[in-house]
Amino acid sequence: MKIILATNNKNKLREFREILSPMGYEVISQSEAGADIEADETGTTFEENAYIKAKAIYDILHMPVIADDSGLEVDHLGGAPGVYSARYAEPGHRCERVLSELEGVPDNERTARFRCVICFIDADGKAQYVSGSCEGRIGYERRGSNGFGYDPIFLYDDRTLAEMSADEKNAISHRGKAIRELTKLL
Ligand code: IMP
């Protein structure tokens, strides 16, 4: 089965493929499907933004499409960066901003989670949602070189997600959980 993924994010595309390809799904990016656009993420929730991205591509292709909206919620920061995770600082400085905002904050107040909401729009235009989250805490420095985004500062047990292999991350990550829920819908 072919699935169109509404994203320009190569890391998300890679993770969707790592999980769905062995299950027999072929994940096609929006640009490969001929819909090379960037929808404005004007929503205030992961659900709204996932729908905006999926609907923009559905309106062009009129085919089943999925979109992921995701981000990091840090409890000490009142849930920030949340839906603004991709825009929290200039590229390459987002982890540093979170680390500096948590300077001096003790271990037990560094709790955080990744959240992922996937919107699936079927051939008739009906939208359905699945989600996943991954609980952890923010470390004190960047560690590891795998993954992307906030992975180097997000501790799951004693390792950051950037210190895990792709399979290890996908087994416990917010996106991995949401994608496995998605396969129940498809
Ligand atoms: P958006 O869903 O396109 O708004 O982007 C979500 C942003 O959240 C990404 O650009 C990353 O900064 C962050 N993010 C989402 N998922 C992950 C992940 O699995 N690891 C690290 N950062 C993530």
Side-chain angles (χ1 to χ4, degrees), residues 8-27:
N8 291 315
N9 183 323
K10 290 193 167 44
N11 292 294
K12 286 186 184 178
L13 181 63
R14 173 179 51 75
E15 291 190 355
F16 271 85
R17 283 186 171 144
E18 283 165 358
I19 298 169
L20 289 173
S21 299
M23 299 170 93
Y25 297 96
E26 187 185 349
V27 181

Side-chain angles (χ1 to χ4, degrees), residues 7 9 11-12 15 38 41 46 49 53 68-72 81-88 94 114-117 147-152 154 161 169 173-175:
T7 190
N9 183 323
N11 292 294
K12 286 186 184 178
E15 291 190 355
E38 186 88 51
E41 294 183 33
F46 294 113
N49 282 335
K53 288 186 264 191
D68 143 315
D69 198 61
S70 47
L72 176 70
V83 291
Y84 305 105
S85 294
R87 296 161 270 172
Y88 204 47
R94 293 176 192 138
F114 276 119
R115 285 193 57 209
C116 170
V117 172
F148 70 102
Y150 298 92
D151 283 347
F154 188 90
L161 297 193
K169 176 182 171 184
S173 78
H174 49 313
R175 187 165 299 103

Side-chain angles (χ1 to χ4, degrees), residues 71-82 98 102 106-115 133-139 150 153-157 161:
L72 176 70
E73 292 177 346
V74 180
D75 292 326
H76 187 79
L77 304 177
V98 173
L102 291 190
D107 255 358
N108 61 341
E109 289 174 35
R110 301 179 78 91
T111 49
R113 73 203 51 75
F114 276 119
R115 285 193 57 209
S133 66
C134 177
E135 298 285 334
R137 59 199 187 349
I138 304 301
Y150 298 92
I153 61 165
F154 188 90
L155 286 163
Y156 181 87
D157 291 336
L161 297 193

Side-chain angles (χ1 to χ4, degrees), residues 1-7 13 16 26-35 54 57-58 61-67 119-121 182:
M1 180 178 176
K2 291 186 179 181
I3 307 173
I4 295 166
L5 179 64
T7 190
L13 181 63
F16 271 85
E26 187 185 349
V27 181
I28 301 172
S29 70
Q30 60 177 58
S31 61
E32 288 166 338
I57 301 302
Y58 178 82
L61 301 174
H62 296 286
M63 289 164 76
V65 55
I66 55 176
C119 174
F120 167 54
I121 301 186
L182 173 72

